[in-house]
Amino acid sequence: MSDVLGCAIWDYHFNLGNKAKLWIHNKYGPKEEMPVETYFRGAGELPELEITALDNCRGRILDVGAGAGSHALFLQQKGLDVTALDVSPKACEVTKMRGVKNVLTKDIYTFTGERFDTILLLMNGIGLTGTILNLRLFLRHIKQLLFPGGQLIFDSSDVAYLYDDTPPANNYYGEIDYEYRYKGERSGWFKWLYIDKALLAAIAKEEGWQVTILFEDDFDQYLARLL
């Protein structure tokens, strides 16, 4: 998959975008703009859900899908031991230039050999699993990366509202097809997962995890901790 998001983050950091917009195309409605500045927010701009997640991080932390490194930078400035991980080489370079000390350009699915007390995925980072099946595989893999008693923290939301009470018949309605487009480049279509709380609780239990909801809002968005 082309590193479209990484290119947009790179251009924004160096002011090279020439006002180009990052678009997210989907198969349920019109395209949407993804404001690239979202990846560069400071501590005062983060929503309550993300602040709650960051306040619950402890020990050695792995920030998965770190983007431009804003969450890792926040944790590092608090004196915590954090490593930012992203599959995008350009995003990782920007994260380093913004001052994050420990940055890994890796795919979380093939990443092994280290352990952490907290694994963090924000901005619906759990969506990278794409499907319910891959979520199960992800939960099994993550156990190998956590110390005993370690925690997995992420947010997601229930997106049933997108389908006007007629969700797709052949797959879970939260398995959504997206494509990034930026300056004429396309990422290629990929699946991104949004999972409702009830299904998450059921799957987590089957995979040997205990779920605690740390935060939820009035828009079916929530923050979960798995132990």
Side-chain angles (χ1 to χ4, degrees):
M1 185 166 62
S2 177
D3 189 13
V4 172
L5 177 57
C7 288
I9 287 173
W10 179 275
D11 285 355
Y12 185 90
H13 180 71
F14 289 104
N15 197 28
L16 298 174
N18 297 319
K19 298 184 179 180
K21 293 183 178 181
L22 175 65
W23 294 102
I24 304 177
H25 289 248
N26 60 70
K27 296 186 178 180
Y28 61 79
K31 66 181 182 181
E32 301 173 84
E33 182 185 355
M34 178 63 198
V36 183
E37 60 266 25
T38 302
Y39 296 97
F40 291 83
R41 293 167 298 165
E45 302 170 284
L46 298 177
E48 185 178 357
L49 181 150
E50 293 179 22
I51 292 294
T52 302
L54 296 167
D55 284 346
N56 276 276
C57 290
R58 54 176 167 77
R60 189 167 187 237
I61 304 157
L62 181 66
D63 179 15
V64 178
S70 290
H71 299 120
L73 197 58
F74 178 97
L75 293 167
Q76 182 177 284
Q77 289 169 345
K78 288 177 64 177
L80 296 172
D81 179 2
V82 58
T83 298
L85 180 147
D86 203 288
V87 73
S88 164
K90 284 187 175 292
C92 286
E93 285 302 312
V94 169
T95 296
K96 292 175 186 176
M97 286 184 280
R98 295 184 72 205
V100 177
K101 296 175 183 177
N102 302 319
V103 182
L104 296 174
T105 308
K106 299 281 187 180
D107 182 335
I108 186 61
Y109 277 103
T110 57
F111 178 55
T112 58
E114 296 191 47
R115 288 199 170 193
F116 301 86
D117 299 287
T118 301
I119 295 180
L120 176 70
L121 300 95
L122 286 180
M123 297 176 67
N124 198 62
I126 198 65
L128 63 81
T129 59
T131 66
I132 295 300
L133 175 58
N134 281 340
L135 174 63
R136 290 183 181 276
L137 297 175
F138 178 84
L139 292 177
R140 295 168 193 173
H141 175 59
I142 286 299
K143 285 183 179 180
Q144 304 172 42
L145 302 179
L146 283 172
F147 287 120
Q151 60 179 350
L152 172 63
I153 296 177
F154 61 84
D155 64 291
S156 195
S157 55
D158 188 342
V159 295
Y161 66 90
L162 292 174
Y163 299 98
D164 296 323
D165 298 323
T166 55
N170 298 325
N171 59 282
Y172 175 60
Y173 64 79
E175 298 175 358
I176 299 180
D177 293 294
Y178 286 118
E179 182 179 61
Y180 284 121
R181 298 184 191 180
Y182 176 72
K183 294 173 72 172
E185 296 294 321
R186 301 167 68 154
S187 65
W189 289 96
F190 59 92
K191 284 194 177 294
W192 199 255
L193 179 66
Y194 293 83
I195 183 166
D196 67 273
K197 287 185 298 183
L199 183 56
L200 171 64
I203 290 173
K205 183 177 181 181
E206 291 170 6
E207 297 296 334
W209 297 82
Q210 180 181 348
V211 178
T212 300
I213 301 301
L214 300 174
F215 178 91
E216 53 188 318
D217 62 20
D218 296 330
F219 303 99
D220 295 316
Q221 187 176 21
Y222 65 90
L223 177 69
R225 172 166 56 203
L226 275 62
L227 295 170

